[in-house]
Amino acid sequence: MNKKLHSIADCKIIQLGKHYRPNGNLTAVEGGNKDMGFEIKRVYYIYDVPGATDRGGHAHKELAQMLVAVSGSFDVVIDDGKERKTITLNRPYYGLLLQPGIWREIKNFSSGAITLVLASLPYDEHDYIRSYTKFMEYRNIRR
Ligand code: TYD
């Protein structure tokens, strides 16, 4: 089986709509093709992250996700086994689309940061690749 694997170039920042009002702003996200190309099956959020703590450190085989810094800021490191880059999320109206098969780490959480994650599938531990060595094997990359 020769499955096409995504590269980090497929992980894009999506500008979400911002409804500005004098009494506060509102951003809405819709599943399907409009904002992200997948239907939302699960929502979770990461909060109360202690200083100098990293999250992530895994890849998913099938799961696509969109990450939004709904409060505060953090850095997302994305890696396809050949290239790696860091994207800072610090606005609630930008979403980072993470495709399947991409290694990710989330670092440098600001105080009070909240990571909203919109996911294409229900939680399944079997979908995780939690070791970087196994990730490189999955991508068929030899170092
Ligand atoms: P994990 O995805 O490893 O967190 P992170 O990538 O942010 O470091 O999940 C942490 C724990 O939460 C793990 O024990 C599984 C559990 N969990 C669920 O039960 N449901 C979920 O939807 C998610 C994302 C995690």
Side-chain angles (χ1 to χ4, degrees):
M1 185 186 68
N2 260 336
K3 192 176 162 192
K4 159 101 174 69
L5 293 170
H6 287 284
S7 71
I8 60 171
D10 300 321
C11 298
K12 298 195 182 330
I13 292 280
I14 308 235
Q15 176 129 29
L16 304 165
K18 181 177 171 189
H19 300 270
Y20 174 81
R21 297 288 182 275
N23 60 349
N25 301 334
L26 182 153
T27 291
V29 186
E30 288 188 22
N33 283 329
K34 184 166 177 280
D35 287 324
M36 62 231 295
F38 61 82
E39 296 296 341
I40 300 164
K41 295 271 171 57
R42 176 168 50 116
V43 175
Y44 65 92
Y45 33 95
I46 302 166
Y47 54 97
D48 289 348
V49 179
T53 304
D54 297 345
R55 306 275 320 204
H58 61 252
H60 288 280
K61 296 175 198 159
E62 302 293 338
L63 185 74
Q65 292 168 303
M66 183 187 277
L67 271 53
V68 182
V70 288
S71 182
S73 66
F74 47 83
D75 294 334
V76 186
V77 179
I78 55 173
D79 180 337
D80 58 20
K82 290 187 177 147
E83 281 187 281
R84 164 175 278 243
K85 78 171 173 182
T86 302
I87 296 164
T88 300
L89 290 180
N90 56 9
R91 294 282 183 270
Y93 48 87
Y94 286 121
L96 172 62
L97 191 56
L98 288 181
Q99 301 291 356
I102 302 291
W103 185 266
R104 85 288 307 274
E105 294 159 15
I106 314 178
K107 302 169 180 281
N108 300 326
F109 288 88
S110 70
S111 163
I114 301 178
T115 311
L116 175 70
V117 184
L118 309 169
S120 65
L121 293 168
Y123 174 72
D124 178 6
E125 186 58 37
H126 296 107
D127 189 61
Y128 281 73
I129 305 169
R130 290 194 182 272
S131 127
Y132 196 78
T133 305
K134 293 228 164 65
F135 168 70
M136 293 300 264
E137 284 168 15
Y138 179 78
R139 303 261 344 179
N140 217 3
I141 297 172
R142 267 170 236 199
R143 284 193 285 184

